[in-house]
Amino acid sequence: MTLYLQLFWEFFKTGLFAIGGGMATLPFLYDISDKTGWFTHTQLADMIAVSESTPGPIGVNMATYVGFLTGGIGGALVATLGLITPSVIVILIVAAFLKAFRDSKYVAGAFYGLRPASTALITAALVSVARVTFFVGGFLPESITVNWKAIVLAAVLLVLTRWTPKVKNWHPIVFIAFSALVGAVFRFAGA
């Protein structure tokens, strides 16, 4: 029971403070990983890949994935409820006062002020994911190994999706499947 309460609490805090979408939850997930040991940073990178390629919001997918990994189906439900509960509470409060908030310059200013925080959280997520994806090793320069296979794959995907006219309009699932196939063939795991 305490595992479920801890799952709910950790994801409640994440849902309350991760403003800016699912990628903004990543710094919180790294913190959960460090604090609880439920999953490693490498497992988190795998979770991101799975959550990005499955339907639904990435934040909810990540909460469900972590909850299932740590507490089975019950853990998945509890973590997901923990993540969405703050949003539901805020929506209910805003709906109750919608008329007063609609034209409020203070509310508009608050949302304008949240933009830099949201941008910073998403940038932190980008840096964390890039570090796990493109580099293997510790934090000291001499202990870091560059994952050249991942860099080459990212470069190929960038060229295909941005500058190759016949390919750039393909459905994203094609690129996800291609990346999964390349990862399996070249054994990216633990590279």
Side-chain angles (χ1 to χ4, degrees), residues 8 26 51 57 90 92 107 139 145 170 172 188:
F8 184 86
L26 289 181
S51 295
V90 169
L92 291 173
V107 171
F139 292 101
T145 304
W170 288 0
F188 272 62

Side-chain angles (χ1 to χ4, degrees), residues 106-121:
Y106 299 111
V107 171
F111 279 112
Y112 185 78
L114 287 173
R115 289 180 187 170
S118 175
T119 302
L121 286 170

Side-chain angles (χ1 to χ4, degrees), residues 126-184:
L126 169 73
V127 169
S128 298
V129 170
R131 189 181 79 222
V132 169
T133 303
F134 298 127
F135 302 99
V136 179
F139 292 101
L140 300 175
E142 61 271 3
S143 65
I144 296 175
T145 304
V146 176
N147 186 347
W148 289 107
K149 292 188 276 187
I151 291 173
V152 169
L153 177 60
V156 167
L157 288 172
L158 179 67
V159 169
L160 288 175
T161 59
R162 295 290 176 219
W163 298 296
T164 307
K166 290 183 179 181
V167 177
K168 76 179 194 176
N169 292 325
W170 288 0
H171 196 278
I173 196 72
V174 173
F175 298 106
I176 293 169
F178 170 74
S179 298
L181 179 66
V182 170

